[in-house]
Amino acid sequence: MIKVKYITVSRLFRFSAAHRLFREGLSAEENEKAFGKCSKVHGHDYTMVVTVRSEGEGDMVVNVSTLGEVVEKEVIAFVDHRNLNTDVPFLSGVLPTMENIARKIAEKLEEPLQRIGAELYELTLAESEKNSVTLHFV
Amino acid sequence: MIKVKYITVSRLFRFSAAHRLFREGLSAEENEKAFGKCSKVHGHDYTMVVTVRSEGEGDMVVNVSTLGEVVEKEVIAFVDHRNLNTDVPFLSGVLPTMENIARKIAEKLEEPLQRIGAELYELTLAESEKNSVTLHFV
Amino acid sequence: MIKVKYITVSRLFRFSAAHRLFREGLSAEENEKAFGKCSKVHGHDYTMVVTVRSEGEGDMVVNVSTLGEVVEKEVIAFVDHRNLNTDVPFLSGVLPTMENIARKIAEKLEEPLQRIGAELYELTLAESEKNSVTLHFV
Amino acid sequence: MIKVKYITVSRLFRFSAAHRLFREGLSAEENEKAFGKCSKVHGHDYTMVVTVRSEGEGDMVVNVSTLGEVVEKEVIAFVDHRNLNTDVPFLSGVLPTMENIARKIAEKLEEPLQRIGAELYELTLAESEKNSVTLHFV
Amino acid sequence: MIKVKYITVSRLFRFSAAHRLFREGLSAEENEKAFGKCSKVHGHDYTMVVTVRSEGEGDMVVNVSTLGEVVEKEVIAFVDHRNLNTDVPFLSGVLPTMENIARKIAEKLEEPLQRIGAELYELTLAESEKNSVTLHFV
Amino acid sequence: MIKVKYITVSRLFRFSAAHRLFREGLSAEENEKAFGKCSKVHGHDYTMVVTVRSEGEGDMVVNVSTLGEVVEKEVIAFVDHRNLNTDVPFLSGVLPTMENIARKIAEKLEEPLQRIGAELYELTLAESEKNSVTLHFV
């Protein structure tokens, strides 16, 4: 019989946030040179897919409703309808590129996910239908 | 033979912008009471569909590439990667609800569209996959 | 200046439900003849778009969050994760075609929407990306 | 009780076809000037939404499966995986713009739809997620 | 020249089915406690992506039309427009979570796919745009 | 603290092209037998996702705008609004299956991507929402 190596479970989240790519030590011109139009304050309807895995044999790898509650409470409640440059404690001092936002979200999720027995497998953050980053943990 | 009453042509545009629903004369608390989480600076990947019509019989009601160029030049260039509360001249002093943004965009498009022989039929502005407004002109 | 005839505001909802097209007075064979594979119990992730209108001039035609709360409370809470043939009081005795479900939802929404000053303009119910019905009220 | 003015039923179809916008009497240069990059042979995954209406009170305005069969037989079978400039009898001699393709499809559907009691209300043809035309019949 | 490690081919399928998460030995209350609103009969438009791989060098890793026919015949014909708790022989006695449905589908596909030279690489089953599971075989 | 193994960045591109699966040495009948309806000239709105990776720690794995410019210049400019059987130099003599198109695009991208410090991780080419291939490089 066909052997499943492992199963992953994914849940999609959305949040709306403002940001700009702007280094405090640089002028507006230098920031525009480095980051183009992203150096101006703008915003996105971000899409995030959190994927966890298990090698277990149970009926559910992880309860997706529980997964949803954890991520809503730990992440979405902090970033939805916020300015990522100024309003989010766990992003304080971080240049809010997709890569950095995703890394900080992953750090924030690690322990709460462990408490529900879920191991982070991948975390994808998309700022539009065109652009996304994926962190691979395994 | 089946009678076409009229034909409309639609083109979809996207832009990323920040905004908040905040009246200058009110306190942060009053704004939060009026607009909920939208009173904080956040952002969206807006989707806009511009629909024009004609009763003509030609091969093309309007050249969609030309339609695209007009809207890119007159609207998208001003709102993409901007803060709608502070950075867009034609939205100056306007509370940037979907309704108001759409009205101001329609005003800005009226004359340039007439120059290419296109009559505005509908303009839909969506701030997410859930919420949208449509202006009906005809 | 361009004249807006009226503005409509739309909000999208999703719910997951089971149903079958089955008339109680007919045999399984007769139902299969009438309704094909839809005569068997199956299910859908329904998408519903509620569109309301106003001829007003205000910043918001209707607050979409309030619109969302009304529809969640009056409709989604009753149909989500239910069997539409047996579990929904306001669909009791109704053959759950898209047309009939949409009509009954519209009846249920009429008064609560009036209370928030919203007039039903259209209601679209889709049982898949392929098939949908739209009720036109105006 | 809320009054439904009329109900429309929509079904979505997809087909993949090649085409170019090229007038036989013109040179390649003249065609490129008139139609830009569309003057070269290219292709699309077209999406078509056929919307029919009825003022009836029945459980179904029209059986969407029957609607699907009619459109598949009368249209999709002729255009899917074809070159619209050369391979489709009912498009012979027609410049295959979205507008013209839609008009010819509507003519071809008129009678077969009448036979199943369906009146064409709208026909939308999209050559991409950006560009579409809609024929309005009522 | 860049080295391709391997190629995978994916095909998407949809089916509409009813189900509930309900263990026969438990009461309705206990099931609701364990599975929340999913303990009631409801339904989904499931999306399934079957991904197969090959290390071959041919023009086609596998003919996607043939892949489509195999999966339609072996799986979709059994689950589309069915109640997964009661109507599908190969799911008999199985709690129809996404994980379990995906495992049983994979078992059913293994041999027929081998007969067309396709090795299962991943199988993703989504019960909505939010929630999905992926079986990884390699 | 949670360990990121590596980060990948993806960007989506679209292009519209015509093609047919047709071997010059075979008759039309033989080609139809081998490739079915795909042996006739047709077209697609192709979607391509280019995924690159890095093990770096920087704010950006790769600038997605720069990634976009490279792929537009090296690939999209050659294939968009073209006939893939006859009009694209780097596909000359190649049977334009998804697999072969993807391989040739990858070869064309390898060096320009290296110049911007990006390593190809995956390249997905989809000819419709149903069918896609993915090249895995790592």
Side-chain angles (χ1 to χ4, degrees):
Chain A
M1 193 179 303
I2 192 162
K3 180 78 178 58
V4 178
K5 203 168 161 197
Y6 53 86
I7 301 185
T8 52
V9 174
S10 297
R11 188 167 170 112
L12 178 149
F13 303 86
R14 299 180 196 277
F15 62 93
S16 300
H19 83 142
R20 66 171 173 170
L21 300 184
F22 196 96
R23 285 189 210 281
E24 288 308 323
L26 303 182
S27 68
E29 289 69 28
E30 290 168 319
N31 273 296
E32 181 151 15
K33 195 171 168 203
F35 301 117
K37 62 183 181 178
C38 293
S39 65
K40 298 198 186 77
V41 175
H42 60 286
H44 296 294
D45 295 305
Y46 288 89
T47 300
M48 176 169 72
V49 178
V50 175
T51 301
V52 300
R53 84 159 180 178
S54 156
E55 296 180 36
E57 296 291 314
D59 292 324
M60 287 184 178
V61 165
V62 61
N63 186 313
V64 283
S65 298
T66 309
L67 175 60
E69 288 161 15
V70 167
V71 178
E72 291 286 343
K73 182 185 164 205
E74 298 289 335
V75 176
I76 305 302
F78 290 89
V79 293
D80 189 30
H81 282 73
R82 293 303 199 300
N83 183 329
L84 304 182
N85 293 79
T86 58
D87 300 349
V88 183
F90 72 81
L91 293 176
S92 177
V94 172
L95 187 73
T97 59
M98 291 189 290
E99 288 86 337
N100 285 340
I101 302 168
R103 284 181 186 115
K104 287 296 179 181
I105 287 174
E107 288 176 13
K108 193 145 194 323
L109 282 176
E110 185 185 17
E111 195 181 292
L113 288 178
Q114 284 174 345
R115 280 201 295 267
I116 63 165
E119 176 198 18
L120 259 180
Y121 178 75
E122 285 179 358
L123 190 152
T124 294
L125 184 70
E127 67 180 22
S128 69
E129 62 148 22
K130 272 194 182 165
N131 299 326
S132 68
V133 299
T134 297
L135 309 187
H136 303 254
F137 300 101
V138 177
Chain B
M1 195 178 299
I2 193 161
K3 179 76 180 57
V4 178
K5 202 169 161 197
Y6 53 86
I7 301 185
T8 52
V9 173
S10 297
R11 189 167 170 111
L12 179 150
F13 302 86
R14 300 179 195 278
F15 62 93
S16 300
H19 84 143
R20 66 170 172 169
L21 299 184
F22 196 95
R23 284 189 209 282
E24 288 309 323
L26 302 182
S27 69
E29 288 69 28
E30 290 168 319
N31 273 296
E32 180 150 15
K33 195 171 169 203
F35 301 116
K37 61 185 182 179
C38 293
S39 64
K40 299 198 186 76
V41 176
H42 60 287
H44 296 294
D45 294 305
Y46 288 88
T47 301
M48 177 169 70
V49 178
V50 176
T51 301
V52 299
R53 86 161 178 174
S54 157
E55 296 179 37
E57 296 291 314
D59 292 326
M60 287 184 176
V61 166
V62 62
N63 186 313
V64 284
S65 297
T66 309
L67 175 61
E69 287 161 16
V70 167
V71 178
E72 291 285 344
K73 182 186 164 206
E74 297 289 335
V75 176
I76 305 303
F78 290 88
V79 294
D80 189 30
H81 283 72
R82 291 303 198 301
N83 183 330
L84 303 183
N85 294 78
T86 58
D87 299 351
V88 182
F90 72 80
L91 293 176
S92 178
V94 172
L95 187 74
T97 58
M98 291 189 291
E99 288 87 336
N100 286 339
I101 302 168
R103 284 183 187 113
K104 288 295 179 184
I105 287 175
E107 288 176 14
K108 196 148 192 323
L109 282 175
E110 186 187 16
E111 194 182 293
L113 288 178
Q114 283 174 346
R115 280 201 295 269
I116 62 165
E119 176 197 18
L120 260 179
Y121 178 76
E122 286 180 358
L123 190 153
T124 294
L125 183 71
E127 67 180 23
S128 70
E129 62 147 24
K130 272 194 182 165
N131 299 326
S132 66
V133 300
T134 298
L135 308 188
H136 303 254
F137 300 99
V138 177
Chain C
M1 192 179 300
I2 192 161
K3 180 76 179 57
V4 178
K5 201 169 162 197
Y6 52 86
I7 301 184
T8 51
V9 173
S10 298
R11 189 167 171 112
L12 178 150
F13 302 86
R14 299 180 196 279
F15 62 92
S16 301
H19 84 142
R20 66 170 173 169
L21 299 184
F22 195 95
R23 286 189 208 280
E24 287 309 323
L26 302 181
S27 68
E29 288 70 26
E30 290 168 319
N31 273 295
E32 181 151 15
K33 194 170 170 204
F35 301 117
K37 63 185 180 179
C38 293
S39 65
K40 299 198 185 77
V41 176
H42 61 285
H44 295 295
D45 295 306
Y46 288 88
T47 301
M48 177 168 70
V49 178
V50 176
T51 301
V52 299
R53 86 163 178 173
S54 155
E55 296 180 36
E57 295 292 312
D59 292 325
M60 287 183 176
V61 166
V62 62
N63 187 311
V64 284
S65 297
T66 309
L67 175 61
E69 288 162 15
V70 167
V71 178
E72 290 285 344
K73 182 185 163 205
E74 297 289 335
V75 175
I76 306 303
F78 289 89
V79 293
D80 189 30
H81 283 74
R82 293 302 199 301
N83 183 330
L84 304 182
N85 294 78
T86 58
D87 299 350
V88 183
F90 72 80
L91 293 176
S92 177
V94 172
L95 187 72
T97 58
M98 292 190 290
E99 287 88 335
N100 286 339
I101 302 168
R103 283 182 188 116
K104 289 294 180 184
I105 287 175
E107 288 176 13
K108 195 148 193 323
L109 281 175
E110 187 186 17
E111 193 182 293
L113 289 178
Q114 284 174 345
R115 280 200 295 266
I116 62 166
E119 177 198 15
L120 260 179
Y121 178 76
E122 285 180 359
L123 190 153
T124 295
L125 184 70
E127 66 179 24
S128 70
E129 62 148 23
K130 273 195 182 163
N131 299 326
S132 66
V133 299
T134 298
L135 308 188
H136 304 254
F137 299 101
V138 177
Chain D
M1 194 179 300
I2 193 161
K3 178 77 180 59
V4 178
K5 201 170 162 198
Y6 51 86
I7 301 184
T8 52
V9 173
S10 297
R11 189 168 170 110
L12 178 150
F13 303 86
R14 299 179 196 278
F15 61 93
S16 301
H19 84 143
R20 65 170 171 169
L21 300 184
F22 195 95
R23 285 190 209 281
E24 287 309 324
L26 303 181
S27 68
E29 289 70 28
E30 290 168 318
N31 274 295
E32 180 150 16
K33 195 170 170 203
F35 301 116
K37 62 183 180 180
C38 294
S39 65
K40 298 198 185 76
V41 175
H42 61 285
H44 296 294
D45 295 306
Y46 288 88
T47 301
M48 178 169 70
V49 178
V50 176
T51 301
V52 299
R53 85 162 178 175
S54 156
E55 297 179 36
E57 295 292 314
D59 292 326
M60 287 183 176
V61 165
V62 61
N63 187 314
V64 284
S65 298
T66 309
L67 175 60
E69 287 162 16
V70 167
V71 178
E72 291 285 344
K73 182 185 164 206
E74 297 290 334
V75 176
I76 306 303
F78 289 88
V79 294
D80 189 31
H81 283 73
R82 293 302 198 301
N83 183 331
L84 303 182
N85 294 78
T86 57
D87 300 350
V88 183
F90 73 81
L91 293 176
S92 177
V94 172
L95 186 74
T97 58
M98 291 190 290
E99 288 87 337
N100 286 339
I101 302 169
R103 284 182 188 114
K104 289 295 180 185
I105 287 175
E107 288 176 14
K108 194 149 194 323
L109 281 175
E110 187 186 16
E111 193 182 293
L113 288 178
Q114 284 173 346
R115 279 201 295 268
I116 62 165
E119 176 198 17
L120 260 179
Y121 178 76
E122 286 180 357
L123 190 153
T124 294
L125 183 70
E127 67 180 23
S128 70
E129 63 148 24
K130 273 195 183 163
N131 299 327
S132 67
V133 300
T134 298
L135 308 188
H136 303 255
F137 300 99
V138 176
Chain E
M1 193 178 302
I2 193 163
K3 179 78 179 59
V4 177
K5 203 169 162 195
Y6 53 86
I7 300 184
T8 51
V9 173
S10 297
R11 188 165 170 112
L12 178 150
F13 303 86
R14 300 180 196 277
F15 62 93
S16 300
H19 83 144
R20 66 171 173 170
L21 300 184
F22 196 96
R23 286 191 208 281
E24 288 309 323
L26 302 182
S27 68
E29 289 69 29
E30 290 168 320
N31 274 296
E32 181 151 14
K33 195 171 169 201
F35 301 116
K37 62 184 180 178
C38 294
S39 65
K40 298 197 185 76
V41 175
H42 60 287
H44 295 294
D45 295 306
Y46 287 89
T47 301
M48 177 170 70
V49 178
V50 175
T51 301
V52 299
R53 85 161 178 175
S54 156
E55 297 180 36
E57 296 291 313
D59 291 325
M60 286 183 177
V61 165
V62 61
N63 187 313
V64 283
S65 298
T66 309
L67 175 60
E69 288 161 15
V70 167
V71 178
E72 290 286 343
K73 181 185 164 204
E74 297 289 335
V75 175
I76 305 302
F78 289 90
V79 294
D80 188 31
H81 282 73
R82 294 301 201 299
N83 183 331
L84 304 182
N85 294 79
T86 57
D87 300 349
V88 183
F90 72 80
L91 293 176
S92 176
V94 172
L95 187 73
T97 59
M98 292 189 291
E99 288 87 336
N100 286 340
I101 301 168
R103 285 182 187 114
K104 288 295 178 183
I105 287 175
E107 289 176 13
K108 193 145 194 326
L109 281 176
E110 186 185 16
E111 195 182 292
L113 289 178
Q114 284 174 345
R115 280 200 296 266
I116 62 166
E119 176 197 19
L120 259 179
Y121 179 75
E122 285 179 359
L123 190 152
T124 294
L125 184 70
E127 66 180 23
S128 68
E129 63 148 22
K130 272 194 181 166
N131 299 326
S132 67
V133 300
T134 298
L135 307 189
H136 304 253
F137 299 101
V138 176
Chain F
M1 194 178 301
I2 192 162
K3 180 75 178 58
V4 178
K5 203 170 163 197
Y6 53 86
I7 301 184
T8 52
V9 173
S10 297
R11 188 165 170 114
L12 178 148
F13 302 87
R14 299 180 196 276
F15 62 93
S16 300
H19 84 143
R20 65 170 173 170
L21 300 184
F22 196 95
R23 285 189 208 282
E24 288 309 322
L26 302 183
S27 68
E29 289 69 28
E30 289 168 319
N31 274 297
E32 181 151 15
K33 193 169 170 203
F35 301 117
K37 61 184 181 179
C38 293
S39 65
K40 299 199 185 74
V41 175
H42 60 285
H44 296 293
D45 294 306
Y46 287 90
T47 301
M48 176 169 71
V49 178
V50 175
T51 301
V52 300
R53 84 161 181 177
S54 156
E55 297 181 36
E57 296 291 314
D59 292 325
M60 288 183 177
V61 166
V62 62
N63 186 314
V64 284
S65 297
T66 309
L67 175 60
E69 288 161 15
V70 166
V71 178
E72 291 286 343
K73 182 185 163 205
E74 297 289 336
V75 176
I76 305 301
F78 289 89
V79 293
D80 189 29
H81 283 74
R82 293 302 200 299
N83 183 330
L84 304 182
N85 293 79
T86 58
D87 299 351
V88 183
F90 72 79
L91 293 177
S92 176
V94 172
L95 186 74
T97 59
M98 292 190 290
E99 288 87 337
N100 285 340
I101 302 168
R103 284 182 187 114
K104 288 296 179 182
I105 287 175
E107 288 176 12
K108 193 146 194 324
L109 282 175
E110 185 186 17
E111 196 182 291
L113 288 178
Q114 284 174 346
R115 281 201 295 267
I116 62 166
E119 175 197 18
L120 260 179
Y121 179 74
E122 285 179 359
L123 190 152
T124 295
L125 184 70
E127 66 180 22
S128 69
E129 63 148 22
K130 271 195 183 164
N131 298 327
S132 67
V133 300
T134 298
L135 308 188
H136 303 254
F137 300 100
V138 177

